[in-house]
Amino acid sequence: MAFDIEMIKQVYATMAERVDKARELVGRPLTLSEKILYSHLWDGNPTTAYSRGKDYVDFAPDRVACQDATAQMALLQFMHANKKTVAVPTTVHCDHLILAKDGAKKDLALANNQSKEVFDFLSSVSDKYGIGFWKPGSGIIHQIVLENYAFPGGMMIGTDSHTVNAGGLGMLAIGVGGADAVDVMSGMSWELKFPKLIGVKLTGKLSGWTAPKDVILKVADILTVKGGTGAIVEYFGEGATSMSCTGKGTICNMGAEIGATTSTFGYDDSMRRYLSATGRQDVVDAANNVAEYLTADAEVYANPEQYFDQLIEINLSELEPHINGPFTPDRGTPVSKMKEEAKANDWPIKVEWGLIGSCTNSSYEDMSRAASIVQQAVDNGITPKAEFGINPGSEQIRYTIERDGIIATFEKMGTKVFTNACGPCIGQWDREGANKEEKNTIVHSFNRNFSKRADGNPNTHAFVTSPEMVAALAISGRLDFNPLTDALINDKGEEVMLKTPYGDELPKKGFDVEDAGFQAPAEDGSGVQVVVSPTSDRLQLLAPFDAWDGKNITGAKLLIKAFGKCTTDHISMAGPWLRFRGHLDNISNNMLIGAVNAFGQATNRVKNQLTGTYDAVPATARAYKAAGIPSIVVGDHNYGEGSSREHAAMEPRFLGVKAVLVKSFARIHETNLKKQGMLGLTFATESDYDKIQEDDTINFLDLVDFAPNKPLTIELVHADGSKEIILANHTYNEGQIEWFKAGSALNLIAAGKA
Ligand code: MIC
Ligand code: SF4
């Protein structure tokens, strides 16, 4: 429908020449990732062989996608860029702000009412600047992008960490903060450190209960939540070509959970089938002409150890279904080990809810495979023991699965069909009784399962697994049920073994939809008025952040020393807070309220050094700000993992935090900090984290000499007057130091200096 074949043809027209040139420069066969990277260089002409993991490179992405929760801040910033229209095809998707409660019809109507102001804002900004607008209920951003916009060999960015989903169609699709998206929408280049490459060779073939989801659950278990940082994961092998395109999307999608920059697969028949089923035969025809450039050179996949920085091999024929969790997506347990593991760790065995959906697993194939399990339960008189909810990925999927009787099958089991939206995956779930904070277990097909994420209850143990396993576990009501070996008891007391799941990769009768929910922008949007009420509590126009005063930061107070896992959900919680995503002042009241304070191990309780009393983190930050005193946040490893939300960087910036000093960062968050004019620093000596004390005052000694590749010297002044000097590393290049000096990257764009 709404894709741009001319743009795609242009990309393909120059691809061969650029890739051939790059191959010569690099002097060896190229991986797929390198082909896409080198064919998207900003200046269009490969002249340097880049060093992986080291060189910053300017790229020219083909398109941008934003979702409602991050688009508000992205577009508020874009409005300051003084541009008439967006420079590359861009879409906005309304999917994060719809609460799951009573089912799609009522829930959507309520959201349209409660978030009217925000949807109207997004719709009018889209109209004004030439952005395609996908209305609430149209579906989840990444499913819609896969269905309409993704194409083999393309490069896109999106203001959501799961933008990477489009790797299922052979793209390099990368999650970024809104400020990065503003660069590209404004017609500027987009900068990324040339990634390292991890190869994953898939041998064998999926069968039985094992699904594409299990591949990424296994990879997450191997690589952990930070193992993919700074790398592109490229999948190949017979196991890759034999799986569906949406299955590939599932694998790439959850690559965000290992911190990977993105993941991708070479162009193959599964992609041809999917493109053609989604009305894009012309993309297939265009891609076929350059097919050899849309996959790695043959030598690479024949001898992968020579071309990738790291190689993993997984035999799909031996891979077991996995159940990952609780509280982190990289804690993998094969189904055969769950009985022991659950017992040993005292995880609640009873499954209360099974949820299928999220951008990761809400395709036609996912829904039909899960429904095949539900149908068996119905046919055999098995009463499901847990409650069940689904969120279809898009209106096109919902319409088609309704036509094909799949929704009716789910409903036979009392399933709640929620809106085509993120729903419980992002805490937009009005789960009855969650406020009692009882210890309980839920299973879902989502990608993230951080504490409190789905229902706000810190004692909910959320486990991630494939849609068909969610169905089986929810029907049995047990976390330790193994459908490969265990029988269920039906209403007559008989034992029933579930047969292996079955589902169509693509609908036999084709996809269908009445109203997909797309709104094209005005031809000439210059007359469109964008209204933001000054009294709104949902939206607030942005004021530029102050430029650096050119002096060393001195007398800064430690705001919080975060202990252990500190994801973007801990820094800027979602769920009920999503309503303030367009209002920086209001959303700042959630800053770091989920982070555990290393002193006292409590959340949202830090010492105000001015009064000596303990208070909430945002209130303490506001007190320092009011007194004109800078503050500093200290953190552990992989700080800021998870979401692309730049609120996690803008809130501290807004509340007067000057630097975030941690053991290591997640990629998107580190960039977000830089873009907003903050100092994102890492301990040169990791154990210096232990030197930070609760009453510390912090002085920067040589910030005036801030330069690339030169550590900064920091003085810690402890409460007893003793002093210690530590070094902080950083990854700022010249241009990024200019962002810091200007107060933010946007300040430079607005001044026409970027
Ligand atoms: C998420 O899955 O955490 C989100 C909500 O989609 C985020 C974006 C956001 O915070 O709005 C993401 O993954 O980037
Ligand atoms: Fe939405 Fe969840 Fe996907 Fe994020 S991970 S885009 S919240 S469905």
Side-chain angles (χ1 to χ4, degrees):
M1 174 213 306
F3 59 88
D4 190 345
I5 184 70
E6 290 315 314
M7 178 268 280
I8 297 174
K9 283 185 178 161
Q10 270 174 31
V11 173
Y12 290 162
T14 51
M15 198 152 193
E17 192 193 324
R18 293 180 183 186
V19 169
D20 290 341
K21 202 158 173 206
R23 193 185 293 106
E24 231 167 80
L25 268 172
V26 177
R28 55 164 173 75
L30 295 178
T31 61
L32 168 62
S33 310
E34 288 167 310
K35 290 184 184 181
I36 306 181
L37 291 166
Y38 278 106
S39 61
H40 284 83
L41 296 177
W42 175 246
D43 54 16
N45 182 20
T47 51
T48 318
Y50 294 108
S51 185
R52 295 180 194 168
K54 288 210 180 72
D55 296 338
Y56 277 103
V57 181
D58 285 334
F59 291 102
D62 305 314
R63 39 177 340 122
V64 176
C66 307
Q67 44 87 342
D68 48 3
T70 50
Q72 297 170 62
M73 219 28 113
L75 296 179
L76 282 164
Q77 294 178 79
F78 182 70
M79 286 163 64
H80 280 284
N82 302 324
K83 303 285 166 190
K84 264 191 84 182
T85 58
V86 286
V88 300
T90 301
T91 47
V92 163
H93 303 258
C94 297
D95 54 0
H96 280 65
L97 299 176
I98 305 161
L99 191 71
K101 185 169 182 249
D102 295 321
K105 214 164 165 209
K106 277 196 189 163
D107 296 349
L108 181 58
L110 189 72
N112 271 324
N113 184 5
Q114 288 184 337
S115 290
K116 184 173 185 322
E117 182 186 2
V118 171
F119 295 144
D120 285 352
F121 167 76
L122 294 173
S123 154
S124 63
V125 181
S126 299
D127 211 18
K128 186 171 180 67
Y129 295 109
I131 299 171
F133 180 70
W134 288 85
K135 295 181 219 167
S138 61
I140 309 175
I141 173 168
H142 312 301
Q143 283 292 328
I144 294 190
V145 166
L146 200 71
E147 283 177 357
N148 295 276
Y149 303 120
F151 65 98
M155 177 189 269
M156 69 176 285
I157 58 164
T159 60
D160 189 283
S161 63
H162 293 108
T163 305
V164 292
N165 186 75
L169 252 179
M171 255 195 146
L172 287 190
I174 302 174
V176 298
D180 275 28
V182 170
D183 287 353
V184 176
M185 294 191 288
S186 310
M188 291 163 37
S189 62
W190 172 69
E191 184 184 63
L192 178 76
K193 205 181 255 182
F194 203 85
K196 292 200 177 145
L197 300 179
I198 300 176
V200 180
K201 181 171 180 181
L202 302 177
T203 60
K205 201 167 180 252
L206 290 173
S207 65
W209 281 89
T210 310
K213 181 77 156 196
D214 298 306
V215 175
I216 186 62
L217 293 176
K218 176 77 185 168
V219 170
D221 188 42
I222 298 172
L223 284 176
T224 81
V225 288
K226 55 179 200 290
T229 308
I232 296 180
V233 185
E234 188 169 323
Y235 292 86
F236 61 95
E238 49 168 348
T241 43
S242 62
M243 77 174 68
S244 67
C245 174
T246 50
K248 293 179 168 81
T250 296
I251 294 175
C252 293
N253 183 302
M254 244 193 107
E257 272 50 67
I258 53 168
T261 302
T262 191
S263 308
T264 197
F265 283 83
Y267 182 49
D268 66 13
D269 281 340
S270 72
M271 297 183 192
R272 291 186 181 95
R273 290 194 295 274
Y274 184 75
L275 283 165
S276 148
T278 49
R280 291 175 288 173
Q281 185 56 40
D282 48 1
V283 178
V284 176
D285 296 340
N288 285 346
N289 290 331
V290 288
E292 65 187 286
Y293 295 96
L294 304 175
T295 190
D297 292 336
E299 295 88 329
V300 171
Y301 293 159
N303 299 299
E305 59 292 337
Q306 293 177 22
Y307 302 97
F308 291 98
D309 300 289
Q310 185 180 351
L311 186 66
I312 294 171
E313 194 168 323
I314 298 176
N315 182 347
L316 301 189
S317 306
E318 287 168 4
L319 183 65
E320 267 190 75
H322 275 60
I323 304 160
N324 284 26
F327 306 120
T328 185
D330 59 350
R331 177 166 189 167
T333 305
V335 62
S336 62
K337 299 269 159 27
M338 192 41 116
K339 287 192 176 63
E340 310 156 34
E341 278 293 300
K343 204 163 166 218
N345 293 289
D346 197 21
W347 295 331
I349 296 294
K350 184 169 181 297
V351 172
E352 309 271 348
W353 267 91
L355 297 156
I356 296 177
S358 145
C359 52
T360 325
N361 271 117
S362 52
S363 66
Y364 186 90
E365 185 180 37
D366 293 330
M367 294 295 168
S368 62
R369 281 176 69 90
S372 77
I373 302 301
V374 172
Q375 186 63 47
Q376 290 184 53
V378 174
D379 292 348
N380 288 292
I382 300 168
T383 311
K385 303 290 183 305
E387 291 190 73
F388 215 70
I390 63 169
N391 287 81
S394 71
E395 174 57 11
Q396 173 160 285
I397 291 167
R398 192 210 61 77
Y399 190 93
T400 310
I401 62 174
E402 179 166 65
R403 181 201 66 191
D404 293 352
I406 292 174
I407 293 217
T409 304
F410 279 119
E411 282 174 345
K412 284 184 210 146
M413 215 179 84
T415 303
K416 281 232 170 98
V417 182
F418 297 125
T419 319
N420 314 317
C422 305
C425 177
I426 191 53
Q428 290 285 17
W429 185 23
D430 189 348
R431 180 180 177 193
E432 225 183 289
N435 54 352
K436 290 192 214 136
E437 302 209 340
E438 279 161 0
K439 189 169 167 184
N440 77 101
T441 284
I442 64 173
V443 292
H444 60 58
S445 73
F446 310 161
N447 37 37
R448 295 202 172 135
N449 55 350
F450 304 137
S451 165
K452 297 193 197 173
R453 180 166 166 107
D455 62 2
N457 173 2
N459 301 316
T460 292
H461 290 50
F463 291 86
V464 182
T465 189
S466 67
E468 42 272 57
M469 279 295 294
V470 170
L473 299 180
I475 290 165
S476 73
R478 291 184 68 90
L479 178 65
D480 60 358
F481 173 68
N482 181 352
L484 288 94
T485 54
D486 303 347
L488 293 169
I489 308 292
N490 72 8
D491 300 343
K492 293 193 208 123
E494 299 156 347
E495 287 202 347
V496 179
M497 286 294 290
L498 289 174
K499 294 201 199 78
T500 52
Y502 169 78
D504 286 331
E505 170 186 296
L506 292 161
K508 287 201 182 74
K509 287 188 265 168
F511 280 111
D512 212 351
V513 66
E514 239 162 41
D515 175 6
F518 178 69
Q519 172 188 301
E523 280 288 319
D524 174 7
S526 54
V528 177
Q529 290 290 323
V530 178
V531 192
V532 174
S533 157
T535 55
S536 169
D537 69 346
R538 303 284 305 267
L539 294 166
Q540 181 187 43
L541 291 175
L542 292 171
F545 292 128
D546 289 340
W548 178 49
D549 62 6
K551 297 188 193 130
N552 281 323
I553 296 167
T554 53
K557 299 292 177 197
L558 176 72
L559 177 63
I560 181 171
K561 173 165 152 177
F563 173 79
K565 207 172 181 67
C566 193
T567 72
T568 42
D569 280 356
H570 298 83
I571 307 171
S572 174
M573 210 167 266
W577 289 93
L578 285 175
R579 57 184 273 104
F580 297 124
R581 284 289 187 87
H583 197 294
L584 184 54
D585 199 351
N586 285 347
I587 192 136
S588 294
N589 289 330
N590 79 358
M591 186 183 75
L592 284 159
I593 60 177
V596 175
N597 185 358
F599 307 104
Q601 305 288 316
T603 52
N604 204 20
R605 200 178 130 78
V606 291
K607 187 167 184 180
N608 176 336
Q609 294 191 38
L610 302 178
T611 58
T613 54
Y614 285 83
D615 204 344
V617 186
T620 310
R622 284 185 193 273
Y624 291 140
K625 185 182 175 186
I629 295 172
S631 56
I632 307 289
V633 168
V634 169
D636 216 311
H637 271 302
N638 211 21
Y639 183 88
E641 83 177 80
S643 163
S644 67
R645 61 190 78 143
E646 62 199 327
H647 305 77
M650 293 178 89
E651 294 175 25
R653 178 75 172 98
F654 180 71
L655 293 185
V657 177
K658 299 290 181 210
V660 178
L661 174 60
V662 299
K663 291 185 190 167
S664 64
F665 281 113
R667 174 188 62 89
I668 307 179
H669 185 64
E670 183 178 18
T671 309
N672 286 345
L673 288 170
K674 291 178 177 177
K675 285 248 144 154
Q676 300 302 336
M678 297 267 289
L679 291 173
L681 310 172
T682 52
F683 290 102
T685 307
E686 214 173 279
S687 57
D688 283 353
Y689 172 91
D690 302 325
K691 294 185 177 154
I692 310 281
Q693 297 177 15
E694 190 172 24
D695 290 286
D696 276 358
T697 299
I698 296 147
N699 299 318
F700 283 77
L701 302 185
D702 53 6
L703 187 61
V704 288
D705 303 321
F706 193 17
N709 304 317
K710 181 177 171 294
L712 291 170
T713 316
I714 293 176
E715 179 184 62
L716 307 174
V717 184
H718 303 307
D720 62 3
S722 66
K723 291 179 181 171
E724 282 182 273
I725 301 283
I726 62 169
L727 287 183
N729 288 337
H730 69 82
T731 59
Y732 289 71
N733 58 23
E734 296 279 0
Q736 296 170 343
I737 290 178
E738 291 309 312
W739 303 342
F740 168 73
K741 290 184 176 163
S744 71
L746 183 62
N747 285 353
L748 281 184
I749 305 183
K753 289 192 202 139

